[in-house]
């Protein structure tokens, strides 16, 4: 059975940070066949939302907005000033999402990426409770903006808080606000989930967005990912959102270092995107 989805690609595949001039990628992304473009917001001050919106309209692309949560953006930090910094940043992302016509802001916004430690159960409970309390505030912000949030589990090397869909659903249950939804990222799932189909079913109707790459962060269809397991799960939950390719370029040293990509994963980033589209388009329709 064919999936009723849109296909998208993140601009991180080519560059970082996203800035107004990055809209020069949009015609190429559209020409490759994509319906959507994923816009990662690292520094909101670099982006003119009005110009980006016009470029999206000109190229017939649907926007997906994702946050980037570095060390200063940490809703679980012991210093409340970090919480306010994070909330201010998330509000900027929500404002941008509204401006460009997106429906939600996605990402692992509960904590800073790379905060991966062995902590006591008592400390984890403290940080869990901070995440729940602060994400409830984020949900109220999203609700006021007419938006949703899509929370993402990361693998154990990138966070110690939320690694699996089961943990993510428990967090969302504790937040207990309808704006809190799920982003599933196939790369992290391939590391952490023993059963991909079951994990998708756990997300159920909370599933708002899906990101994919191969198990080694490479071009979809070139690795060991069990794509039919993903498809069966997505069919069973009647997923009708966007599936976007998220990977990175080794040419942007700061970003490549952050995600530990030390070599090229394809002959070129354009080949990565075009070959990935062809595979996913056939996979979704088969």
């Amino acid at each position: 059975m064919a999936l009723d989805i849109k296909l998208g690609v993140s601009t991180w595949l080519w560059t970082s940070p996203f800035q107004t001039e990055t809209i020069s990628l949009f015609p190429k992304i559209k020409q490759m066949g994509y319906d959507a473009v994923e816009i990662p917001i690292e520094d909101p001050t670099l982006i003119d939302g009005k110009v980006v919106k016009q470029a999206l309209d000109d190229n017939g692309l649907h926007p997906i907005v994702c946050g980037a949560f570095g060390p200063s953006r940490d809703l679980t930090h012991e210093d409340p000033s970090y919480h306010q910094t994070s909330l201010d940043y998330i509000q900027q992302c929500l404002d941008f999402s509204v401006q460009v016509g997106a429906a939600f802001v996605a990402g692992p916004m509960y904590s800073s990426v790379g905060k991966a430690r062995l902590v006591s159960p008592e400390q984890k409970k403290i940080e869990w409770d901070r995440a729940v309390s602060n994400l409830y505030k984020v949900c109220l912000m999203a609700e006021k903006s007419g938006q949703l949030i899509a929370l993402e589990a990361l693998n154990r090397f990138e966070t110690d808080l939320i690694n699996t869909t089961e943990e993510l659903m428990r967090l969302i249950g504790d937040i207990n606000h309808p704006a809190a939804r799920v982003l599933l990222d196939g790369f992290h799932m391939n590391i952490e989930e023993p059963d991909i189909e079951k994990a998708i079913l756990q997300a159920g109707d909370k599933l708002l967005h899906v990101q994919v790459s191969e198990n080694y962060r490479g071009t979809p269809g070139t690795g060991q990912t069990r794509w039919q397991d993903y498809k069966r799960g997505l069919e069973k939950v009647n997923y009708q959102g966007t599936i976007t390719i998220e990977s990175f370029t080794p040419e942007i040293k700061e970003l490549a270092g952050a995600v530990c990509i030390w070599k090229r994963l394809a002959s070129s980033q354009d080949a990565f995107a075009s070959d990935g589209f062809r595979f996913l388009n056939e996979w979704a329709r088969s």
Side-chain angles (χ1 to χ4, degrees), residues 16-86:
S16 171
F18 186 96
Q19 47 196 315
T20 304
E21 293 73 18
T22 309
I23 62 173
S24 62
L25 291 171
F26 289 3
K28 174 166 61 179
I29 289 170
K30 184 63 177 182
Q31 187 176 27
M32 287 178 178
Y34 286 101
D35 310 295
V37 58
E38 193 166 289
I39 300 172
I41 301 180
E42 293 170 73
D43 183 351
T45 66
L46 299 177
I47 308 172
D48 185 328
K50 184 177 180 181
V51 174
V52 174
K53 169 62 173 168
Q54 186 62 57
L56 290 165
D57 291 345
D58 290 346
N59 291 280
L61 288 170
H62 174 73
I64 303 290
V65 177
C66 289
F69 296 90
S72 66
R73 297 167 183 164
D74 184 358
L75 292 177
T76 64
H77 201 281
E78 61 183 8
D79 183 347
S81 69
Y82 282 73
H83 306 172
Q84 191 58 53
T85 296
S86 302

Side-chain angles (χ1 to χ4, degrees), residues 4-268:
D4 183 15
I5 58 166
K6 295 182 176 68
L7 292 177
V9 62
S10 171
T11 59
W12 261 336
L13 191 64
W14 290 276
T15 190
S16 171
F18 186 96
Q19 47 196 315
T20 304
E21 293 73 18
T22 309
I23 62 173
S24 62
L25 291 171
F26 289 3
K28 174 166 61 179
I29 289 170
K30 184 63 177 182
Q31 187 176 27
M32 287 178 178
Y34 286 101
D35 310 295
V37 58
E38 193 166 289
I39 300 172
I41 301 180
E42 293 170 73
D43 183 351
T45 66
L46 299 177
I47 308 172
D48 185 328
K50 184 177 180 181
V51 174
V52 174
K53 169 62 173 168
Q54 186 62 57
L56 290 165
D57 291 345
D58 290 346
N59 291 280
L61 288 170
H62 174 73
I64 303 290
V65 177
C66 289
F69 296 90
S72 66
R73 297 167 183 164
D74 184 358
L75 292 177
T76 64
H77 201 281
E78 61 183 8
D79 183 347
S81 69
Y82 282 73
H83 306 172
Q84 191 58 53
T85 296
S86 302
L87 294 171
D88 291 344
Y89 163 71
I90 293 169
Q91 184 62 63
Q92 289 178 294
C93 292
L94 289 166
D95 292 343
F96 176 79
S97 185
V98 170
Q99 187 173 23
V100 298
F104 60 88
V105 173
M109 59 187 75
Y110 43 83
S111 183
S112 62
V113 177
K115 190 176 179 180
R117 313 136 302 150
L118 181 61
V119 297
S120 68
E122 293 78 14
Q123 180 63 25
K124 186 159 188 176
K125 178 66 164 57
I126 289 170
E127 296 186 12
W128 181 279
D129 289 345
R130 287 175 186 152
V132 169
S133 175
N134 283 313
L135 286 170
Y136 187 81
K137 296 176 185 177
V138 171
C139 286
L140 294 177
M141 292 158 49
E143 183 179 43
K144 187 176 180 180
S145 300
Q147 296 276 299
L148 301 170
I149 62 170
L151 299 171
E152 176 185 11
L154 301 179
N155 71 73
R156 70 193 71 178
F157 307 107
E158 297 186 30
T159 184
D160 55 52
L161 194 67
I162 304 292
N163 299 135
T164 65
T165 306
E166 182 180 7
E167 292 170 337
L168 183 55
M169 295 308 291
R170 191 162 70 248
L171 178 70
I172 288 173
D174 287 354
I175 295 167
N176 192 26
H177 191 287
R181 305 293 180 89
V182 173
L183 155 61
L184 293 181
D185 184 318
F187 173 74
H188 302 296
M189 295 174 76
N190 281 335
I191 296 172
E192 298 295 343
E193 301 286 2
D195 188 324
I196 295 296
E197 184 179 342
K198 180 180 176 182
I200 294 171
L201 295 180
Q202 286 174 327
D205 62 5
K206 294 286 188 183
L207 182 58
L208 194 59
H209 185 47
V210 176
Q211 295 172 335
V212 296
S213 64
E214 264 305 338
N215 61 292
Y216 66 101
R217 273 291 191 199
T219 308
T222 63
Q224 301 182 58
T225 298
R226 293 159 60 177
W227 289 100
Q228 288 310 307
D229 290 2
Y230 281 96
K231 189 173 183 186
R232 280 195 302 271
L234 294 171
E235 287 173 347
K236 287 180 179 179
V237 300
N238 193 31
Y239 180 70
Q240 296 182 10
T242 303
I243 296 178
T244 64
I245 293 177
E246 185 195 57
S247 191
F248 310 92
T249 171
E251 299 304 316
I252 307 297
K253 301 307 179 186
E254 183 177 356
L255 182 61
V259 296
C260 300
I261 289 182
W262 316 120
K263 61 184 179 182
R264 284 196 171 277
L265 301 176
S267 59
S268 71

